[in-house]
Amino acid sequence: MAQVKPMRADARRNRERLLRAAAGVFAEHGAGASLDDIARRAEVGTGTLYRHFPTRQALLEAVYLESVEAIAARADTIAAARPPGAALVVWLGELAVGMLQVRGLKALLGTAVTGAEAVAGRADGADRADRADRACGDCVRGAAERLVRAAQEAGAVRGDVAPIDVLRLVHGVVTACESAGETDGTAVRRYLSLLMEGLTRA
Amino acid sequence: MAQVKPMRADARRNRERLLRAAAGVFAEHGAGASLDDIARRAEVGTGTLYRHFPTRQALLEAVYLESVEAIAARADTIAAARPPGAALVVWLGELAVGMLQVRGLKALLGTAVTGAEAVAGRADGADRADRADRACGDCVRGAAERLVRAAQEAGAVRGDVAPIDVLRLVHGVVTACESAGETDGTAVRRYLSLLMEGLTRA
DNA sequence: ACCTGAACACCGTTCAAGT
DNA sequence: ACCTGAACACCGTTCAAGT
């Protein structure tokens, strides 16, 4: 489907510039970075940014779509080589590390997966964002569903948890690591294993 | 210790007005509410707000100090009536519900307990806030330490987790509930029990 | 059809002037 | 000693004017 109407050459060029600029600025200043900054770095009027990406969420979505798809694709690769329970653990670990290290990815998936708490405050354009910009969330949710269901059927995960619960808890674990200042993979993997094995009884 | 120098009458009155106004505004608009709003509602100049509470964190701390102390005090009450493992679970549940329902409390404890991720963005006055405004964090951390240690000695909780880990994970669980739009106690208790019992094996 | 950038409304923070 | 509020720097968002 991609593009129903081909874009005008300058529009297409501006979109590209905006994506490149946004990737850089998000990487430097996080998902809450100034949109003005992005437009300036892209050498584009602020109005142009809003024309292409009506919400911050839409911009995040476009910037990180490929990364998210890659993570989702990993789910199947991992599942093919491991028993269901182990596959889930490994994939969740990769997902969590990604959210922790790629600035903006956590904010994007926080909204996309759970449906709230975008970046900072405003719920202005949230209505519009809700509809179209779900591609990333669908992607991750789909992968999580396949892995969790398989693990449940294999008896490796209890049956009364939904895949969305697991994603939310992983999001929470990543939040915990972030606030601990631990952005390397070791801390998040440790918290994840606590989540999986459980606090009670070693 | 309270007040080394007694405040001037008008200063004391303004402080009181600010606290009352802040409690109302935080309850209505969350911990990220406009400080201008608070000063306006208190019928006080904005500069006065900054004189009394140099950072948002300091204001949150002052507003919620009593609530936090009450929660911490509950820890001992609960511990006196229950075996260590159960006491920890019950107290964490109360803590989580408090963070979920009292707007601002989660933001306050997020910073106080973990040392990061204040409310939204700016790390401006964070340096100053780090030092003095730790009362709430100390309070909660102290209570958590007593309960976790006791539970560990009783063999109810594995020995390789630190109390701070538990607090961070609870913070994460509350975040998960928030983003799920579940603000009543049931969801958070369910996630908490998942955390405690573990995902693997029913 | 798309772009531009000034204009608007809002925010946090500081500070000279007042009592 | 404390308070006030204007001033400053910043931000997101919109929109009339341009091509």
Side-chain angles (χ1 to χ4, degrees):
Chain A
M1 41 177 83
Q3 220 71 29
V4 175
K5 277 254 188 177
M7 293 172 94
R8 230 168 63 175
D10 56 347
R12 165 133 200 82
R13 206 200 38 145
N14 279 338
R15 211 189 110 96
E16 226 54 60
R17 295 174 70 92
L18 279 166
L19 284 178
R20 226 190 320 274
V25 174
F26 284 149
E28 281 171 36
H29 301 103
S34 159
L35 297 181
D36 249 36
D37 241 43
I38 293 171
R40 211 175 304 127
R41 170 132 26 153
E43 294 177 299
V44 154
T46 52
T48 302
L49 190 155
Y50 280 91
R51 160 169 284 268
H52 284 284
F53 308 101
T55 67
R56 166 177 247 113
Q57 187 64 19
L59 182 54
L60 281 169
E61 192 98 17
V63 168
Y64 293 114
L65 182 57
E66 288 178 24
S67 308
V68 170
E69 284 174 342
I71 290 174
R74 283 285 297 157
D76 300 317
T77 312
I78 293 170
R82 255 167 269 246
L88 178 62
V89 174
V90 170
W91 184 72
L92 289 180
E94 292 192 11
L95 175 65
V97 170
M99 287 200 276
L100 205 51
Q101 291 180 343
V102 181
R103 304 189 65 163
L105 200 53
K106 189 203 154 213
L108 164 62
L109 292 181
T111 327
V113 160
T114 63
E117 192 223 358
V119 168
R122 296 298 134 77
D124 292 342
D127 317 328
R128 268 167 296 162
D130 269 0
R131 265 185 268 101
D133 310 319
R134 286 258 186 222
C136 287
D138 288 343
C139 215
V140 171
R141 243 178 290 127
E145 255 155 45
R146 293 196 297 277
L147 292 183
V148 170
R149 296 298 179 212
Q152 284 174 326
E153 279 165 28
V157 167
R158 47 196 288 174
D160 63 346
V161 301
I164 190 78
D165 289 326
V166 177
L167 285 178
R168 279 179 195 144
L169 287 168
V170 169
H171 187 255
V173 163
V174 173
T175 304
C177 281
E178 232 177 27
S179 62
E182 311 273 14
T183 52
D184 62 335
T186 58
V188 79
R189 282 178 201 282
R190 182 162 161 271
Y191 279 152
L192 260 188
S193 84
L194 284 179
L195 180 64
M196 299 295 289
E197 293 173 30
L199 274 177
T200 51
R201 239 354 288 138
Chain B
M1 32 177 88
Q3 221 68 31
V4 175
K5 276 252 182 175
M7 293 173 94
R8 227 169 64 175
D10 56 345
R12 166 135 200 79
R13 206 198 38 141
N14 279 338
R15 210 189 111 96
E16 225 54 60
R17 295 175 70 93
L18 279 167
L19 283 178
R20 226 190 319 273
V25 174
F26 284 148
E28 282 170 35
H29 301 104
S34 158
L35 296 180
D36 248 36
D37 242 42
I38 293 172
R40 212 175 304 128
R41 169 131 28 152
E43 295 176 297
V44 155
T46 52
T48 303
L49 191 155
Y50 280 90
R51 160 167 284 267
H52 284 283
F53 307 102
T55 66
R56 168 179 245 110
Q57 186 64 20
L59 183 54
L60 280 169
E61 192 99 16
V63 168
Y64 293 114
L65 182 57
E66 288 179 23
S67 308
V68 169
E69 285 174 342
I71 290 175
R74 283 285 298 156
D76 300 317
T77 313
I78 292 171
R82 256 169 269 249
L88 178 61
V89 175
V90 170
W91 184 72
L92 289 180
E94 293 193 10
L95 175 65
V97 170
M99 287 201 276
L100 204 52
Q101 290 181 343
V102 181
R103 304 187 66 162
L105 199 53
K106 189 203 153 211
L108 165 62
L109 292 182
T111 326
V113 160
T114 62
E117 193 224 0
V119 168
R122 297 294 135 75
D124 292 344
D127 317 329
R128 267 169 295 161
D130 269 0
R131 264 185 269 103
D133 311 319
R134 286 256 185 223
C136 286
D138 288 344
C139 215
V140 171
R141 243 178 290 126
E145 254 154 45
R146 293 195 297 278
L147 292 184
V148 171
R149 296 296 179 215
Q152 285 174 327
E153 279 165 27
V157 167
R158 48 196 287 174
D160 63 347
V161 300
I164 191 77
D165 288 326
V166 177
L167 286 177
R168 280 179 194 143
L169 287 168
V170 169
H171 187 255
V173 164
V174 173
T175 303
C177 281
E178 232 176 25
S179 62
E182 311 273 13
T183 53
D184 62 334
T186 57
V188 78
R189 283 178 201 283
R190 182 162 160 272
Y191 281 151
L192 260 186
S193 83
L194 283 180
L195 181 64
M196 299 295 289
E197 292 174 29
L199 274 176
T200 51
R201 244 344 298 136

